[in-house]
Amino acid sequence: MKVIANWKMNLPTPDIRSWTENFYSNVNLDDSKTIGVAPPFTHISNCVTYLQNLRVGAQNISSRDLGNNTGEISASIAKDSGASFVILGHSEVRENLDEQSSLINKKIAIAIEKNLSPVVCFGESRESYENGITKDFVCSQLKECFEGIKAETIIIAYEPIWSIGTGITPETNEINEIHNTIKDYCKNHLKFVPESVLYGGSVTDKNCKNLITGENIDGFLVGGASLDGNSFARIVNNCF
Ligand code: 13P
């Protein structure tokens, strides 16, 4: 079971102290729980210092290794600053930076090469959901992004775009079914078994108890509700 906080472009440094205090005074942690936090790049090393027993990750990396790539962060640099995983293919990056599957594919490859565990995001638009083509859409994203990848420790996050930040989620059984499709597709067509398939999109301390009852739902990638240490601690507590 894994729960990962994606802080996106939030939480300026002074708030990290209060997040940490709120989180640790409320959370019940033990060895069976793998909890991660992906802060903005500039806070990674600070988080490694403050967040005991949590894994710290990056929200993106360059598709290239070290070199003249102004404004980019390589897998090696992210790892040097203390990241142990990286979120790739988030729909906000796909949209804001016009990131295509071929680029995500290169990023997954370099993350694996540099021992940074990839957490790769997939998900459909509202239109695709309403047209009933979610499974086909997600499988074609999987095919493009994992082309030629030999993977052992891949985490997949299913994040329907229409659920991110909207307070609306699919039903637990719908998510469970998509996760089942993702696991089948990876096993039968891509020849790897994902380490976990997480769900992301408007997860809160209220709805996570119900969502986690889906047998194929292995954990969560949490945006807005992870920005408050109390609320993220309640999600962690309610999921195990
Ligand atoms: P919200 O939890 O704010 O909907 O964001 C989900 C997400 O994008 C996590 O990566």
Side-chain angles (χ1 to χ4, degrees), residues 4-8 87 90-92 121 157 159-161 163-169 199-204 220-227 235:
I4 298 176
N6 176 7
W7 285 355
K8 306 190 179 182
I87 297 173
H90 194 283
S91 58
E92 287 154 11
C121 306
E159 299 205 313
I161 297 169
S163 174
I164 295 176
T166 60
I168 305 166
T169 67
Y199 169 74
S202 294
V203 173
T204 65
F220 301 111
L221 182 54
V222 188
S226 74
L227 296 179
I235 292 176

Side-chain angles (χ1 to χ4, degrees), residues 102-234:
S102 53
L103 189 64
I104 297 166
N105 176 271
K106 287 188 185 147
K107 292 183 178 187
I108 296 170
I110 201 154
I112 293 171
E113 189 190 317
K114 302 293 175 188
N115 288 321
L116 206 51
S117 309
V119 178
V120 194
C121 306
F122 301 92
E124 81 288 2
S125 64
R126 171 158 281 285
E127 195 187 356
S128 297
Y129 174 75
E130 282 170 358
N131 289 334
I133 59 162
T134 298
K135 287 182 185 170
D136 286 348
F137 183 84
V138 170
C139 288
S140 76
Q141 282 188 322
L142 287 166
K143 182 172 188 282
E144 290 168 2
C145 290
F146 287 117
E147 171 108 53
I149 300 283
K150 294 269 169 296
E152 279 171 14
T153 55
I154 297 276
I155 296 171
I156 288 179
Y158 168 57
E159 299 205 313
I161 297 169
W162 53 275
S163 174
I164 295 176
T166 60
I168 305 166
T169 67
E171 297 298 328
T172 301
N173 64 325
E174 289 180 288
I175 300 170
N176 200 47
E177 226 183 274
I178 304 295
H179 283 209
N180 192 31
T181 301
I182 291 172
K183 289 179 182 183
D184 274 354
Y185 190 85
C186 288
K187 192 165 156 221
N188 297 325
H189 297 272
L190 303 174
K191 311 294 178 209
F192 73 89
V193 177
E195 193 183 298
S196 323
V197 180
L198 312 181
Y199 169 74
S202 294
V203 173
T204 65
D205 55 340
K206 305 279 182 310
N207 63 17
C208 66
K209 263 190 184 165
N210 180 277
L211 292 169
I212 204 63
T213 59
E215 59 174 359
N216 290 307
I217 302 174
D218 304 322
F220 301 111
L221 182 54
V222 188
S226 74
L227 296 179
D228 173 57
N230 289 309
S231 143
F232 191 60
R234 284 196 298 272

